[in-house]
Each structure stands twice: as structure tokens, then as C-alpha cells.
């Protein structure tokens, strides 16, 4: 397993623990985001994605666009 996947899995596990506490009313989104190392807005987005898409909604989306742009750029050369 590469480092990106390990980091993603760790981030997902930590977020799910904080989300569970949030849903029980013990943690506000701003505190949950701060504890997860993300903004309150990101915390709410991740919460909604997990609810709508399940665990796959928390997959890191940053690399997907980069890879696609790189492939497209090389194909157009």
C-alpha cells in the first residue's frame, strides 16, 4: 500500500470517529474539523459525502484531476 492510500485510510478513520461523536451531539462541526485538521466547511462537506456516497465518498479527489490533466496533456502533444 502506498503512502497516499495509508494517509487516506488514516484520515478516513479519524474523520469517522469524529463524525460519530458529532452525530451524538458531543462535537460541533468547527471543533470536529479542527480535530481532524480540516476546516469546518470541509468537515460538513465530508459529512455530506459520507452520507450520500458511503465510504467511497471520502476518497482523495485531488490526485484524480491531476492524473487526468497529465494524460490529456500528453495525448494532445
Amino acid at each position: 500500500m502506498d503512502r497516499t492510500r495509508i494517509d487516506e485510510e488514516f484520515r478516513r478513520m479519524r474523520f469517522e470517529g469524529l463524525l460519530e461523536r458529532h452525530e451524538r451531539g458531543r462535537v460541533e462541526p468547527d471543533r470536529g474539523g479542527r480535530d481532524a485538521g480540516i476546516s469546518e466547511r470541509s468537515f460538513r462537506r465530508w459529512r455530506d459525502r459520507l452520507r450520500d456516497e458511503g465510504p467511497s465518498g471520502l476518497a482523495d479527489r485531488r490526485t484524480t484531476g491531476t492524473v487526468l490533466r497529465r494524460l490529456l496533456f500528453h495525448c494532445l502533444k
Side-chain angles (χ1 to χ4, degrees), residues 14-32:
R14 184 171 49 177
F15 175 75
E16 287 176 343
L18 289 167
L19 181 61
E20 183 179 324
R21 289 175 44 207
H22 167 69
E23 289 175 344
R24 285 190 263 151
R26 296 185 179 179
V27 176
E28 294 297 317
D30 62 334
R31 173 73 189 270

Side-chain angles (χ1 to χ4, degrees), residues 11-73:
R11 184 174 55 245
R12 184 188 59 79
M13 289 173 19
R14 184 171 49 177
F15 175 75
E16 287 176 343
L18 289 167
L19 181 61
E20 183 179 324
R21 289 175 44 207
H22 167 69
E23 289 175 344
R24 285 190 263 151
R26 296 185 179 179
V27 176
E28 294 297 317
D30 62 334
R31 173 73 189 270
R34 194 169 44 247
D35 290 350
I38 57 176
S39 68
E40 177 184 357
R41 183 177 181 194
S42 292
F43 184 87
R44 285 185 277 120
R45 284 180 176 178
W46 287 15
R47 176 194 64 198
D48 295 343
R49 273 197 240 150
L50 183 62
R51 186 180 312 135
D52 297 343
E53 302 172 31
S56 64
L58 296 180
D60 191 350
R61 297 176 179 196
R62 294 175 297 176
T63 58
T64 305
T66 304
V67 171
L68 292 175
R69 279 193 302 273
R70 187 179 305 133
L71 287 171
L72 182 61
F73 178 74

